[in-house]
Amino acid sequence: TAGDPTQPYLVAAVCAGALASIVLCPMEETRIRLVTDPDFGAEGLLDGLPALLEEEGPLTPFRRGILPMLAKQVPYTVGKQVSFDVF
């Protein structure tokens, strides 16, 4: 209906969730490697992320983790944004 803000909020929330997933995916992969691999050779995110990208290439974190990250982040962002903005 005219004047109903729900649809633009849904579209914006899906875009925000997808963008957040793209940004978070390499960081999440780095965090998992830091926790599970004692031979990774990094102390934190600032030195772990470049080490991960050098070791596995720039697209590897996206190939392995983007779909689960999208499946988690997009519905969460949609629910959060729409509930805050519409209600």
Side-chain angles (χ1 to χ4, degrees), residues 11-69:
V11 172
V14 167
C15 292
L19 182 63
S21 295
I22 291 168
V23 171
L24 290 173
C25 197
M27 291 184 225
E28 185 71 12
E29 179 72 22
T30 303
R31 182 191 68 81
I32 291 169
R33 286 289 298 272
L34 287 168
V35 171
T36 60
D37 187 358
D39 299 326
F40 184 49
E43 296 294 319
L45 181 63
L46 292 179
D47 59 340
L49 185 57
L52 178 74
L53 295 177
E54 181 179 321
E55 183 179 310
E56 297 191 7
L59 296 179
T60 300
F62 294 107
R63 266 197 317 269
R64 283 196 292 221
I66 193 68
L67 291 178
M69 185 68 76

